[in-house]
Amino acid sequence: MPLDLSELVSELNCIASDISMDKGAVLFHSGDPASGVFIVRKGEVRLSLGIPSDLYPPRVLGPGEMAGLPATLTGHYSLTAVVAAPEAELGFVPSDRVSELLECSPRLCFLAMRFISEEIARVRTALKETPPLSHPS
């Protein structure tokens, strides 16, 4: 059963500032210092490793989804996020505000922890399903 993050996204959305982006705008690159969480309100955002990868194929996030939470909690973005719709309306919550919200609500902190745990499990599953690299003899 997928994790219901609507409560966490709703609370973050309440404190988010409005931003509009055009298609192709990069929200963050892999390796960038984390600045905060982006909430997709309208349009789509594409998450990828920034290079072609069968191990971790790109994902498209739509309204009600967020990008950047794991990075906000760990310090650096591990994926690249690009606006994938002609016009996107997003909310943005800076890292310090995300931390304040999670510190004040054990329930929201637990949801964030579950979300990150599921992300880790998704990567582990992808790694298990990837055939081992062959090494030249």
Side-chain angles (χ1 to χ4, degrees), residues 1-2 5 21 30 44-45 52 55 63 75 83 86-87 89 91-92 94 98 100 105 110 115 120 125 127 131 137:
M1 178 168 95
L5 294 173
M21 306 291 282
S30 178
E44 296 177 335
V45 170
L55 177 63
V83 174
E87 291 181 7
E89 294 176 9
F92 177 72
V98 174
E100 289 170 9
S105 173
F110 178 75
F115 175 75
I120 292 168
T125 298
L127 287 171
S137 304

Side-chain angles (χ1 to χ4, degrees), residues 6-23:
S6 58
E7 182 182 357
L8 177 58
V9 172
S10 177
E11 291 295 326
L12 287 168
N13 203 22
C14 286
I15 61 172
S17 55
D18 299 332
I19 56 174
S20 295
M21 306 291 282
D22 292 327
K23 183 175 182 174

Side-chain angles (χ1 to χ4, degrees), residues 2 5 12 17 23 27-28 35-36 38-39 41-42 49 52 58 63-65 71 74 87 98 107 121 127-128 131 134:
L5 294 173
L12 287 168
S17 55
K23 183 175 182 174
L27 302 177
F28 50 81
S35 58
F38 295 86
I39 308 294
R41 293 176 173 162
K42 176 184 171 191
L49 290 174
E65 295 184 284
T74 61
E87 291 181 7
V98 174
R107 169 124 178 94
L127 287 171
K128 283 182 190 175
S134 59

Side-chain angles (χ1 to χ4, degrees), residues 46-76:
R46 182 174 180 262
L47 292 178
S48 70
L49 290 174
I51 56 171
S53 171
D54 292 334
L55 177 63
Y56 199 91
R59 290 187 301 173
V60 176
L61 305 178
E65 295 184 284
M66 65 182 154
L69 180 63
T72 298
L73 299 176
T74 61
H76 287 84

Side-chain angles (χ1 to χ4, degrees), residues 110-132:
F110 178 75
L111 287 172
M113 182 184 70
R114 288 280 313 275
F115 175 75
I116 292 171
S117 297
E118 287 189 6
E119 286 292 303
I120 292 168
R122 185 185 344 261
V123 171
R124 283 184 176 167
T125 298
L127 287 171
K128 283 182 190 175
E129 293 171 0
T130 302

